[in-house]
Amino acid sequence: MPNNEVDLAIVVNGQPTVVRANTNAPLRTVIARALEQTGNAGQPPENWELRDAAGAPLPLDQKIGDFNFAADVRLFLNLKAGVGGVA
Amino acid sequence: MSPAQYVDQQVSRAKFDREIAEYRQLESDYLRRGWLLVRAEFPNVLVVLAAPQLSPAAIVTGVAFDYTNYDMQPPSVRLVHPFTAEPYKAKDLPTVLMRSVEAGAPPIPGLQLPLGAQARFIAQQPLMQSYGPDDTPFLCLAGVREYHDHPGHSGDAWELHRRSGAGRLVRLLETISKYGVQPISEYQITLQPRIAGFAQREVPS
């Protein structure tokens, strides 16, 4: 694996997958790949949110390399709540 | 009450088992976030959500799922008492899952904004909905059976969300946790002082 690539474990709606990503690319680039790998085709990437293991949202425009993710990091990608809240 | 199972039970059970197996695979991660899977027996799941950020940690709510007819139908999701699994009435809910949403701007007479500026209005809206304090509230969220069964949401069919995993166990728990547990920052304590009498400096002889 080249130096500028990293494997990230991403849990999509509870389903784990590993995405190979370029460390110079913004974090949002892993979303489409993770969705594709897990067969989640129903909603576009902007309707998903990426969080760390503690549940904190991650800034998607930040470069992947700048996060200094640990080798065993797990990120959690989940569908946003969307419209709702009106009975 | 659970509806009758009309989907081939093997299909629903296989999908249910996948939900549980994937959850178990990452259970230690979820446990650190305060999620305790206490029962999983097809078609029902009971998860208790705690707030580990508090000291001492607090149990916030139970969440009961019913995966009958999954995924021809979305799961039923109820906030329940964590120890009895009885669904909460609206008046007893420990959280209404309040969320901030951008709302349409109400007309404000006399309001003049600088050229190019736009006003954003943020409203707060509960995801738990009911018609009265004694009703059993429902989670007003696509991917939840009660949402799609509601006549007000007949234009947003389950089939539009099914392939996105909207009814998956972890996704629903993430949403409930995001709005109901993670924002909790501290215990809210109300003290009601009562006058019990008079204190005396001394008892004269």
Side-chain angles (χ1 to χ4, degrees), chain A residues 11-16 38-43 48-49 51-57 74 76-87, chain B residues 22 25-26 28-30 33 99 125-127 129 131 138 140-142 147 150 153 160-161 163-166 168 170-171 174-175 178-179 182:
Chain A
V11 181
V12 185
N13 274 351
Q15 181 182 355
T38 52
N40 282 283
Q43 294 283 339
W48 295 75
E49 58 191 356
R51 293 172 172 263
D52 64 15
R74 258 198 289 270
F76 293 80
L77 183 60
N78 285 284
L79 198 57
K80 288 181 185 172
V83 179
V86 180
Chain B
E22 286 182 357
Q25 200 179 337
L26 297 169
S28 57
D29 289 77
Y30 301 139
R33 293 171 63 180
R99 67 188 299 222
Q125 198 175 67
L127 276 174
Q129 292 281 321
Y131 291 104
F138 72 97
C140 191
L141 179 73
Y147 169 90
H150 191 283
H153 304 138
L160 296 171
H161 299 273
R163 288 186 64 214
S164 63
R168 302 202 64 184
V170 169
R171 182 263 167 164
E174 288 275 9
T175 302
K178 174 183 173 181
Y179 294 105
Q182 284 173 241

Short mmCIF file of all heavy atoms in Angstrom, two decimals, chain A residues 11-16 38-43 48-49 51-57 74 76-87, chain B residues 22 25-26 28-30 33 99 125-127 129 131 138 140-142 147 150 153 160-161 163-166 168 170-171 174-175 178-179 182:
data_model
loop_
_atom_site.label_atom_id
_atom_site.label_comp_id
_atom_site.label_asym_id
_atom_site.label_seq_id
_atom_site.Cartn_x
_atom_site.Cartn_y
_atom_site.Cartn_z
N VAL A 11 -18.18 1.54 9.86
CA VAL A 11 -19.37 0.76 10.19
C VAL A 11 -20.58 1.49 9.62
O VAL A 11 -20.93 2.58 10.07
CB VAL A 11 -19.50 0.59 11.71
CG1 VAL A 11 -20.72 -0.24 12.06
CG2 VAL A 11 -18.23 -0.04 12.29
N VAL A 12 -21.18 0.90 8.60
CA VAL A 12 -22.29 1.55 7.90
C VAL A 12 -23.61 0.98 8.43
O VAL A 12 -23.93 -0.18 8.18
CB VAL A 12 -22.19 1.32 6.38
CG1 VAL A 12 -23.28 2.11 5.65
CG2 VAL A 12 -20.82 1.70 5.86
N ASN A 13 -24.34 1.80 9.16
CA ASN A 13 -25.60 1.32 9.76
C ASN A 13 -25.41 0.00 10.50
O ASN A 13 -26.27 -0.87 10.47
CB ASN A 13 -26.68 1.14 8.70
CG ASN A 13 -27.44 2.43 8.43
OD1 ASN A 13 -27.28 3.41 9.14
ND2 ASN A 13 -28.26 2.42 7.40
N GLY A 14 -24.25 -0.17 11.10
CA GLY A 14 -23.98 -1.38 11.87
C GLY A 14 -23.19 -2.43 11.12
O GLY A 14 -22.74 -3.41 11.71
N GLN A 15 -23.01 -2.24 9.82
CA GLN A 15 -22.33 -3.25 9.00
C GLN A 15 -20.89 -2.79 8.73
O GLN A 15 -20.68 -1.77 8.09
CB GLN A 15 -23.09 -3.42 7.68
CG GLN A 15 -22.50 -4.45 6.75
CD GLN A 15 -23.29 -4.52 5.44
OE1 GLN A 15 -24.31 -3.86 5.27
NE2 GLN A 15 -22.80 -5.32 4.52
N PRO A 16 -19.89 -3.55 9.19
CA PRO A 16 -18.51 -3.10 9.03
C PRO A 16 -17.99 -3.31 7.60
O PRO A 16 -18.33 -4.29 6.94
CB PRO A 16 -17.71 -3.98 9.99
CG PRO A 16 -18.70 -4.77 10.76
CD PRO A 16 -19.97 -4.78 9.97
N THR A 38 -21.04 -1.55 0.85
CA THR A 38 -22.03 -2.22 1.69
C THR A 38 -23.41 -2.30 1.02
O THR A 38 -24.38 -2.73 1.64
CB THR A 38 -22.18 -1.49 3.04
OG1 THR A 38 -22.42 -0.10 2.80
CG2 THR A 38 -20.93 -1.64 3.88
N GLY A 39 -23.47 -1.85 -0.23
CA GLY A 39 -24.71 -1.98 -0.99
C GLY A 39 -25.81 -1.05 -0.52
O GLY A 39 -26.99 -1.33 -0.71
N ASN A 40 -25.42 0.07 0.08
CA ASN A 40 -26.43 1.05 0.51
C ASN A 40 -26.64 2.07 -0.60
O ASN A 40 -25.94 3.08 -0.67
CB ASN A 40 -25.99 1.75 1.80
CG ASN A 40 -26.21 0.89 3.01
OD1 ASN A 40 -27.31 0.74 3.50
ND2 ASN A 40 -25.14 0.25 3.48
N ALA A 41 -27.61 1.79 -1.45
CA ALA A 41 -27.78 2.61 -2.64
C ALA A 41 -28.96 3.56 -2.54
O ALA A 41 -29.18 4.36 -3.44
CB ALA A 41 -27.96 1.69 -3.85
N GLY A 42 -29.71 3.49 -1.47
CA GLY A 42 -30.98 4.20 -1.43
C GLY A 42 -30.90 5.70 -1.20
O GLY A 42 -31.80 6.43 -1.58
N GLN A 43 -29.85 6.18 -0.56
CA GLN A 43 -29.76 7.60 -0.22
C GLN A 43 -28.40 8.14 -0.63
O GLN A 43 -27.39 7.45 -0.52
CB GLN A 43 -29.93 7.78 1.30
CG GLN A 43 -31.30 7.41 1.82
CD GLN A 43 -32.34 8.48 1.54
OE1 GLN A 43 -32.01 9.64 1.30
NE2 GLN A 43 -33.61 8.10 1.55
N TRP A 48 -25.92 11.14 4.81
CA TRP A 48 -25.28 10.30 5.82
C TRP A 48 -24.37 11.16 6.69
O TRP A 48 -23.88 12.19 6.25
CB TRP A 48 -24.48 9.19 5.15
CG TRP A 48 -25.33 8.23 4.38
CD1 TRP A 48 -25.92 8.47 3.16
CD2 TRP A 48 -25.72 6.92 4.76
NE1 TRP A 48 -26.65 7.36 2.77
CE2 TRP A 48 -26.54 6.40 3.72
CE3 TRP A 48 -25.45 6.12 5.86
CZ2 TRP A 48 -27.09 5.12 3.78
CZ3 TRP A 48 -25.99 4.84 5.91
CH2 TRP A 48 -26.80 4.35 4.88
N GLU A 49 -24.13 10.70 7.91
CA GLU A 49 -23.21 11.42 8.79
C GLU A 49 -22.19 10.46 9.36
O GLU A 49 -22.50 9.31 9.68
CB GLU A 49 -23.95 12.17 9.88
CG GLU A 49 -24.81 11.31 10.77
CD GLU A 49 -25.73 12.13 11.66
OE1 GLU A 49 -25.65 13.37 11.66
OE2 GLU A 49 -26.54 11.50 12.37
N ARG A 51 -19.32 9.62 12.23
CA ARG A 51 -18.98 9.94 13.62
C ARG A 51 -17.84 9.04 14.09
O ARG A 51 -17.62 7.98 13.52
CB ARG A 51 -20.21 9.74 14.51
CG ARG A 51 -21.29 10.74 14.20
CD ARG A 51 -22.59 10.46 14.93
NE ARG A 51 -23.50 11.56 14.72
CZ ARG A 51 -23.69 12.57 15.57
NH1 ARG A 51 -23.08 12.58 16.73
NH2 ARG A 51 -24.51 13.55 15.29
N ASP A 52 -17.20 9.48 15.16
CA ASP A 52 -16.16 8.63 15.74
C ASP A 52 -16.80 7.66 16.73
O ASP A 52 -18.02 7.66 16.91
CB ASP A 52 -15.05 9.47 16.38
CG ASP A 52 -15.54 10.29 17.56
OD1 ASP A 52 -16.65 10.02 18.07
OD2 ASP A 52 -14.81 11.21 17.98
N ALA A 53 -15.97 6.87 17.38
CA ALA A 53 -16.49 5.81 18.26
C ALA A 53 -17.27 6.38 19.45
O ALA A 53 -18.14 5.73 20.00
CB ALA A 53 -15.35 4.94 18.76
N ALA A 54 -16.95 7.62 19.83
CA ALA A 54 -17.67 8.24 20.95
C ALA A 54 -18.96 8.90 20.49
O ALA A 54 -19.72 9.42 21.32
CB ALA A 54 -16.77 9.27 21.62
N GLY A 55 -19.21 8.90 19.19
CA GLY A 55 -20.45 9.49 18.68
C GLY A 55 -20.30 10.94 18.26
O GLY A 55 -21.29 11.59 17.90
N ALA A 56 -19.08 11.47 18.29
CA ALA A 56 -18.87 12.88 17.91
C ALA A 56 -18.79 13.00 16.39
O ALA A 56 -18.10 12.21 15.74
CB ALA A 56 -17.60 13.41 18.54
N PRO A 57 -19.50 13.98 15.80
CA PRO A 57 -19.44 14.14 14.34
C PRO A 57 -18.05 14.57 13.88
O PRO A 57 -17.36 15.31 14.59
CB PRO A 57 -20.48 15.24 14.08
CG PRO A 57 -20.71 15.92 15.37
CD PRO A 57 -20.37 14.94 16.46
N ARG A 74 -12.25 2.95 14.32
CA ARG A 74 -13.52 2.57 13.68
C ARG A 74 -14.38 3.82 13.58
O ARG A 74 -14.58 4.51 14.58
CB ARG A 74 -14.25 1.49 14.48
CG ARG A 74 -14.08 0.11 13.87
CD ARG A 74 -15.12 -0.86 14.39
NE ARG A 74 -14.91 -1.21 15.77
CZ ARG A 74 -14.18 -2.25 16.17
NH1 ARG A 74 -13.60 -3.02 15.28
NH2 ARG A 74 -14.04 -2.53 17.45
N PHE A 76 -18.14 5.52 12.27
CA PHE A 76 -19.53 5.06 12.19
C PHE A 76 -20.31 5.97 11.24
O PHE A 76 -20.42 7.17 11.45
CB PHE A 76 -20.16 5.04 13.58
CG PHE A 76 -19.54 4.00 14.48
CD1 PHE A 76 -18.33 4.23 15.11
CD2 PHE A 76 -20.15 2.76 14.64
CE1 PHE A 76 -17.74 3.26 15.91
CE2 PHE A 76 -19.57 1.79 15.44
CZ PHE A 76 -18.36 2.03 16.07
N LEU A 77 -20.81 5.35 10.17
CA LEU A 77 -21.54 6.08 9.14
C LEU A 77 -23.02 5.71 9.25
O LEU A 77 -23.38 4.54 9.14
CB LEU A 77 -21.00 5.69 7.77
CG LEU A 77 -21.57 6.39 6.55
CD1 LEU A 77 -21.34 7.90 6.62
CD2 LEU A 77 -20.95 5.83 5.27
N ASN A 78 -23.83 6.72 9.50
CA ASN A 78 -25.26 6.45 9.70
C ASN A 78 -26.12 7.43 8.94
O ASN A 78 -25.76 8.59 8.75
CB ASN A 78 -25.61 6.51 11.20
CG ASN A 78 -25.11 5.28 11.91
OD1 ASN A 78 -25.68 4.21 11.81
ND2 ASN A 78 -23.98 5.44 12.59
N LEU A 79 -27.28 6.92 8.58
CA LEU A 79 -28.25 7.73 7.87
C LEU A 79 -28.75 8.84 8.79
O LEU A 79 -29.09 8.60 9.94
CB LEU A 79 -29.41 6.82 7.46
CG LEU A 79 -30.36 7.27 6.37
CD1 LEU A 79 -29.62 7.58 5.08
CD2 LEU A 79 -31.38 6.16 6.12
N LYS A 80 -28.80 10.06 8.27
CA LYS A 80 -29.33 11.17 9.07
C LYS A 80 -30.82 10.98 9.32
O LYS A 80 -31.49 10.23 8.60
CB LYS A 80 -29.12 12.49 8.33
CG LYS A 80 -27.69 12.96 8.25
CD LYS A 80 -27.64 14.28 7.52
CE LYS A 80 -26.21 14.73 7.30
NZ LYS A 80 -26.14 15.91 6.42
N ALA A 81 -31.32 11.71 10.29
CA ALA A 81 -32.74 11.56 10.65
C ALA A 81 -33.65 12.04 9.54
O ALA A 81 -34.75 11.56 9.37
CB ALA A 81 -33.03 12.31 11.94
N GLY A 82 -33.23 13.02 8.75
CA GLY A 82 -34.06 13.51 7.66
C GLY A 82 -35.29 14.21 8.16
O GLY A 82 -35.35 14.69 9.29
N VAL A 83 -36.28 14.23 7.31
CA VAL A 83 -37.52 14.91 7.67
C VAL A 83 -38.27 14.07 8.68
O VAL A 83 -38.28 12.85 8.60
CB VAL A 83 -38.38 15.13 6.42
CG1 VAL A 83 -39.68 15.83 6.79
CG2 VAL A 83 -37.61 15.95 5.41
N GLY A 84 -38.91 14.71 9.59
CA GLY A 84 -39.69 13.97 10.58
C GLY A 84 -40.09 14.92 11.67
O GLY A 84 -39.89 16.12 11.57
N GLY A 85 -40.68 14.36 12.69
CA GLY A 85 -41.01 15.18 13.83
C GLY A 85 -42.34 15.90 13.72
O GLY A 85 -42.64 16.74 14.54
N VAL A 86 -43.11 15.56 12.71
CA VAL A 86 -44.43 16.18 12.61
C VAL A 86 -45.47 15.09 12.48
O VAL A 86 -45.45 14.30 11.56
CB VAL A 86 -44.51 17.11 11.38
CG1 VAL A 86 -45.89 17.74 11.29
CG2 VAL A 86 -43.45 18.19 11.47
N ALA A 87 -46.36 15.02 13.43
CA ALA A 87 -47.39 13.97 13.39
C ALA A 87 -48.57 14.44 12.56
O ALA A 87 -48.75 15.61 12.35
CB ALA A 87 -47.84 13.65 14.78
N GLU B 22 -24.36 -8.58 13.66
CA GLU B 22 -23.52 -7.40 13.41
C GLU B 22 -23.40 -6.54 14.66
O GLU B 22 -22.35 -5.97 14.93
CB GLU B 22 -24.09 -6.59 12.24
CG GLU B 22 -23.83 -7.28 10.91
CD GLU B 22 -24.35 -6.49 9.72
OE1 GLU B 22 -24.95 -5.42 9.92
OE2 GLU B 22 -24.14 -6.95 8.59
N GLN B 25 -20.93 -8.16 16.99
CA GLN B 25 -19.55 -8.02 16.49
C GLN B 25 -18.90 -6.75 17.03
O GLN B 25 -17.69 -6.71 17.25
CB GLN B 25 -19.61 -7.97 14.96
CG GLN B 25 -18.33 -8.29 14.25
CD GLN B 25 -18.51 -8.24 12.74
OE1 GLN B 25 -19.61 -8.38 12.21
NE2 GLN B 25 -17.41 -8.04 12.04
N LEU B 26 -19.69 -5.71 17.24
CA LEU B 26 -19.15 -4.43 17.70
C LEU B 26 -19.71 -4.04 19.07
O LEU B 26 -19.74 -2.88 19.44
CB LEU B 26 -19.48 -3.33 16.68
CG LEU B 26 -18.87 -3.52 15.30
CD1 LEU B 26 -19.47 -2.56 14.30
CD2 LEU B 26 -17.37 -3.35 15.36
N SER B 28 -18.70 -4.23 22.07
CA SER B 28 -17.88 -3.51 23.05
C SER B 28 -17.84 -2.02 22.73
O SER B 28 -17.81 -1.18 23.64
CB SER B 28 -16.48 -4.10 23.11
OG SER B 28 -15.89 -4.07 21.84
N ASP B 29 -17.86 -1.68 21.43
CA ASP B 29 -17.91 -0.25 21.05
C ASP B 29 -19.22 0.36 21.53
O ASP B 29 -19.25 1.47 22.06
CB ASP B 29 -17.83 -0.10 19.53
CG ASP B 29 -16.46 -0.42 19.00
OD1 ASP B 29 -16.13 -1.61 18.90
OD2 ASP B 29 -15.71 0.53 18.69
N TYR B 30 -20.29 -0.37 21.32
CA TYR B 30 -21.61 0.16 21.70
C TYR B 30 -21.76 0.26 23.22
O TYR B 30 -22.38 1.18 23.73
CB TYR B 30 -22.72 -0.70 21.10
CG TYR B 30 -22.68 -0.78 19.59
CD1 TYR B 30 -22.93 -1.99 18.92
CD2 TYR B 30 -22.36 0.33 18.82
CE1 TYR B 30 -22.88 -2.05 17.53
CE2 TYR B 30 -22.30 0.27 17.44
CZ TYR B 30 -22.56 -0.93 16.80
OH TYR B 30 -22.50 -1.01 15.43
N ARG B 33 -20.53 3.32 24.66
CA ARG B 33 -21.42 4.47 24.43
C ARG B 33 -22.68 4.38 25.29
O ARG B 33 -23.58 5.19 25.16
CB ARG B 33 -21.78 4.54 22.95
CG ARG B 33 -20.56 4.87 22.12
CD ARG B 33 -20.84 4.75 20.66
NE ARG B 33 -21.85 5.69 20.23
CZ ARG B 33 -22.28 5.80 18.99
NH1 ARG B 33 -21.77 5.03 18.05
NH2 ARG B 33 -23.21 6.66 18.68
N ARG B 99 -34.81 17.89 18.49
CA ARG B 99 -33.81 18.19 17.46
C ARG B 99 -34.01 19.61 16.95
O ARG B 99 -35.11 20.15 16.99
CB ARG B 99 -33.92 17.19 16.31
CG ARG B 99 -35.21 17.32 15.54
CD ARG B 99 -35.40 16.21 14.52
NE ARG B 99 -34.38 16.19 13.53
CZ ARG B 99 -34.61 15.98 12.22
NH1 ARG B 99 -35.83 15.77 11.78
NH2 ARG B 99 -33.62 15.96 11.36
N GLN B 125 -37.79 20.70 17.62
CA GLN B 125 -38.90 19.83 17.27
C GLN B 125 -38.65 18.45 17.88
O GLN B 125 -37.56 17.92 17.73
CB GLN B 125 -38.87 19.72 15.74
CG GLN B 125 -40.09 19.23 15.07
CD GLN B 125 -39.89 19.30 13.57
OE1 GLN B 125 -39.07 18.57 13.02
NE2 GLN B 125 -40.63 20.15 12.90
N PRO B 126 -39.63 17.88 18.56
CA PRO B 126 -39.41 16.54 19.13
C PRO B 126 -39.63 15.45 18.09
O PRO B 126 -40.58 15.51 17.30
CB PRO B 126 -40.48 16.45 20.22
CG PRO B 126 -41.57 17.37 19.78
CD PRO B 126 -40.94 18.45 18.94
N LEU B 127 -38.76 14.46 18.10
CA LEU B 127 -38.97 13.31 17.21
C LEU B 127 -40.04 12.37 17.77
O LEU B 127 -40.60 11.58 17.04
CB LEU B 127 -37.66 12.54 17.02
CG LEU B 127 -36.70 13.06 15.95
CD1 LEU B 127 -35.40 12.29 15.99
CD2 LEU B 127 -37.32 13.00 14.57
N GLN B 129 -43.61 11.83 18.96
CA GLN B 129 -44.87 12.53 18.69
C GLN B 129 -46.04 11.79 19.32
O GLN B 129 -46.06 10.54 19.37
CB GLN B 129 -45.10 12.63 17.19
CG GLN B 129 -44.10 13.53 16.48
CD GLN B 129 -44.43 15.00 16.63
OE1 GLN B 129 -45.59 15.39 16.59
NE2 GLN B 129 -43.41 15.82 16.83
N TYR B 131 -50.58 12.58 20.46
CA TYR B 131 -51.71 13.52 20.41
C TYR B 131 -52.13 13.97 21.81
O TYR B 131 -52.95 14.86 21.94
CB TYR B 131 -52.89 12.88 19.68
CG TYR B 131 -52.60 12.72 18.20
CD1 TYR B 131 -52.28 11.49 17.68
CD2 TYR B 131 -52.63 13.82 17.36
CE1 TYR B 131 -51.99 11.35 16.33
CE2 TYR B 131 -52.34 13.70 16.01
CZ TYR B 131 -52.02 12.46 15.50
OH TYR B 131 -51.73 12.33 14.18
N PHE B 138 -45.01 7.90 19.32
CA PHE B 138 -44.26 7.13 18.32
C PHE B 138 -43.07 7.94 17.83
O PHE B 138 -43.05 9.17 17.93
CB PHE B 138 -45.16 6.71 17.15
CG PHE B 138 -45.57 7.82 16.23
CD1 PHE B 138 -44.89 8.05 15.05
CD2 PHE B 138 -46.64 8.64 16.53
CE1 PHE B 138 -45.26 9.07 14.18
CE2 PHE B 138 -47.03 9.67 15.68
CZ PHE B 138 -46.34 9.88 14.50
N CYS B 140 -41.18 9.57 15.19
CA CYS B 140 -41.57 10.12 13.89
C CYS B 140 -40.33 10.19 12.99
O CYS B 140 -39.70 11.25 12.85
CB CYS B 140 -42.18 11.50 14.09
SG CYS B 140 -42.96 12.13 12.62
N LEU B 141 -40.00 9.07 12.43
CA LEU B 141 -38.75 8.94 11.69
C LEU B 141 -38.93 7.90 10.59
O LEU B 141 -39.42 6.79 10.87
CB LEU B 141 -37.65 8.50 12.66
CG LEU B 141 -36.26 8.28 12.10
CD1 LEU B 141 -35.61 9.62 11.77
CD2 LEU B 141 -35.39 7.54 13.12
N ALA B 142 -38.51 8.24 9.38
CA ALA B 142 -38.57 7.27 8.30
C ALA B 142 -37.74 6.04 8.67
O ALA B 142 -36.63 6.17 9.20
CB ALA B 142 -38.04 7.89 7.02
N TYR B 147 -44.18 5.38 11.97
CA TYR B 147 -44.10 6.55 11.07
C TYR B 147 -44.78 6.24 9.74
O TYR B 147 -45.60 7.01 9.25
CB TYR B 147 -42.63 6.92 10.86
CG TYR B 147 -42.39 7.95 9.76
CD1 TYR B 147 -42.38 9.32 10.04
CD2 TYR B 147 -42.15 7.55 8.45
CE1 TYR B 147 -42.14 10.26 9.04
CE2 TYR B 147 -41.92 8.48 7.44
CZ TYR B 147 -41.91 9.83 7.75
OH TYR B 147 -41.68 10.75 6.75
N HIS B 150 -48.57 5.91 9.76
CA HIS B 150 -49.33 7.12 10.07
C HIS B 150 -49.91 7.70 8.79
O HIS B 150 -49.19 7.87 7.79
CB HIS B 150 -48.40 8.13 10.75
CG HIS B 150 -49.13 9.29 11.36
ND1 HIS B 150 -49.62 10.33 10.61
CD2 HIS B 150 -49.44 9.55 12.65
CE1 HIS B 150 -50.20 11.20 11.43
NE2 HIS B 150 -50.11 10.76 12.66
N HIS B 153 -48.15 10.30 6.68
CA HIS B 153 -46.90 10.00 5.98
C HIS B 153 -47.12 9.03 4.83
O HIS B 153 -46.19 8.33 4.42
CB HIS B 153 -45.88 9.42 6.96
CG HIS B 153 -45.62 10.31 8.12
ND1 HIS B 153 -45.49 9.85 9.41
CD2 HIS B 153 -45.48 11.65 8.19
CE1 HIS B 153 -45.29 10.88 10.23
NE2 HIS B 153 -45.29 11.97 9.51
N LEU B 160 -39.43 3.52 -0.11
CA LEU B 160 -38.48 4.55 -0.52
C LEU B 160 -37.24 4.55 0.37
O LEU B 160 -36.22 5.13 0.03
CB LEU B 160 -39.14 5.94 -0.45
CG LEU B 160 -40.31 6.18 -1.39
CD1 LEU B 160 -40.99 7.50 -1.06
CD2 LEU B 160 -39.83 6.19 -2.84
N HIS B 161 -37.31 3.92 1.52
CA HIS B 161 -36.22 3.96 2.50
C HIS B 161 -35.58 2.59 2.75
O HIS B 161 -34.54 2.50 3.36
CB HIS B 161 -36.75 4.51 3.83
CG HIS B 161 -37.29 5.89 3.71
ND1 HIS B 161 -36.51 7.01 3.84
CD2 HIS B 161 -38.53 6.34 3.45
CE1 HIS B 161 -37.25 8.09 3.67
NE2 HIS B 161 -38.48 7.71 3.43
N ARG B 163 -34.03 0.31 1.05
CA ARG B 163 -32.70 -0.03 0.55
C ARG B 163 -31.59 0.79 1.20
O ARG B 163 -30.41 0.49 1.03
CB ARG B 163 -32.65 0.12 -0.97
CG ARG B 163 -33.42 -0.98 -1.69
CD ARG B 163 -33.22 -0.88 -3.18
NE ARG B 163 -31.82 -1.10 -3.55
CZ ARG B 163 -31.23 -0.48 -4.57
NH1 ARG B 163 -31.89 0.39 -5.29
NH2 ARG B 163 -29.97 -0.74 -4.87
N SER B 164 -31.95 1.85 1.91
CA SER B 164 -30.91 2.66 2.54
C SER B 164 -30.61 2.19 3.95
O SER B 164 -29.79 2.79 4.64
CB SER B 164 -31.36 4.12 2.58
OG SER B 164 -32.52 4.24 3.37
N GLY B 165 -31.26 1.13 4.38
CA GLY B 165 -30.98 0.61 5.72
C GLY B 165 -31.64 1.42 6.81
O GLY B 165 -31.19 1.39 7.97
N ALA B 166 -32.70 2.15 6.46
CA ALA B 166 -33.33 3.05 7.44
C ALA B 166 -33.91 2.30 8.63
O ALA B 166 -34.08 2.87 9.70
CB ALA B 166 -34.42 3.88 6.77
N ARG B 168 -32.57 -0.41 10.06
CA ARG B 168 -31.58 -1.28 10.71
C ARG B 168 -31.39 -0.88 12.17
O ARG B 168 -31.49 0.29 12.55
CB ARG B 168 -30.26 -1.24 9.94
CG ARG B 168 -30.48 -1.68 8.47
CD ARG B 168 -29.23 -2.16 7.85
NE ARG B 168 -28.77 -3.37 8.52
CZ ARG B 168 -27.63 -3.99 8.23
NH1 ARG B 168 -26.85 -3.52 7.30
NH2 ARG B 168 -27.28 -5.07 8.89
N VAL B 170 -28.85 -0.68 14.34
CA VAL B 170 -27.84 0.28 14.78
C VAL B 170 -28.18 1.68 14.31
O VAL B 170 -28.00 2.66 15.04
CB VAL B 170 -26.44 -0.16 14.30
CG1 VAL B 170 -25.42 0.96 14.51
CG2 VAL B 170 -26.00 -1.41 15.06
N ARG B 171 -28.70 1.79 13.12
CA ARG B 171 -29.07 3.12 12.61
C ARG B 171 -30.12 3.76 13.51
O ARG B 171 -30.04 4.95 13.85
CB ARG B 171 -29.57 2.99 11.18
CG ARG B 171 -29.93 4.32 10.54
CD ARG B 171 -31.40 4.64 10.62
NE ARG B 171 -31.64 6.04 10.26
CZ ARG B 171 -32.81 6.54 9.94
NH1 ARG B 171 -33.86 5.76 9.94
NH2 ARG B 171 -32.95 7.81 9.67
N GLU B 174 -28.58 4.73 16.80
CA GLU B 174 -27.74 5.93 16.62
C GLU B 174 -28.60 7.18 16.68
O GLU B 174 -28.23 8.17 17.31
CB GLU B 174 -27.02 5.88 15.27
CG GLU B 174 -25.89 4.87 15.18
CD GLU B 174 -24.57 5.39 15.72
OE1 GLU B 174 -24.54 6.49 16.31
OE2 GLU B 174 -23.57 4.67 15.56
N THR B 175 -29.74 7.14 16.02
CA THR B 175 -30.60 8.32 15.97
C THR B 175 -31.16 8.62 17.36
O THR B 175 -31.16 9.78 17.81
CB THR B 175 -31.74 8.09 14.97
OG1 THR B 175 -31.17 7.81 13.69
CG2 THR B 175 -32.63 9.32 14.87
N LYS B 178 -28.34 9.89 19.50
CA LYS B 178 -27.89 11.24 19.09
C LYS B 178 -28.79 12.33 19.66
O LYS B 178 -28.31 13.37 20.11
CB LYS B 178 -27.87 11.33 17.57
CG LYS B 178 -27.57 12.71 17.01
CD LYS B 178 -27.64 12.73 15.50
CE LYS B 178 -27.51 14.15 14.96
NZ LYS B 178 -27.60 14.18 13.49
N TYR B 179 -30.09 12.10 19.64
CA TYR B 179 -31.02 13.14 20.08
C TYR B 179 -31.45 12.99 21.54
O TYR B 179 -31.87 13.96 22.16
CB TYR B 179 -32.26 13.17 19.18
CG TYR B 179 -31.92 13.60 17.77
CD1 TYR B 179 -31.88 12.67 16.74
CD2 TYR B 179 -31.61 14.92 17.48
CE1 TYR B 179 -31.54 13.05 15.45
CE2 TYR B 179 -31.27 15.32 16.20
CZ TYR B 179 -31.24 14.37 15.18
OH TYR B 179 -30.89 14.75 13.92
N GLN B 182 -26.85 11.52 23.92
CA GLN B 182 -25.59 12.25 23.80
C GLN B 182 -25.67 13.72 24.23
O GLN B 182 -24.71 14.24 24.79
CB GLN B 182 -25.06 12.15 22.36
CG GLN B 182 -24.44 10.80 22.06
CD GLN B 182 -24.08 10.65 20.60
OE1 GLN B 182 -24.57 9.78 19.91
NE2 GLN B 182 -23.22 11.51 20.13
#
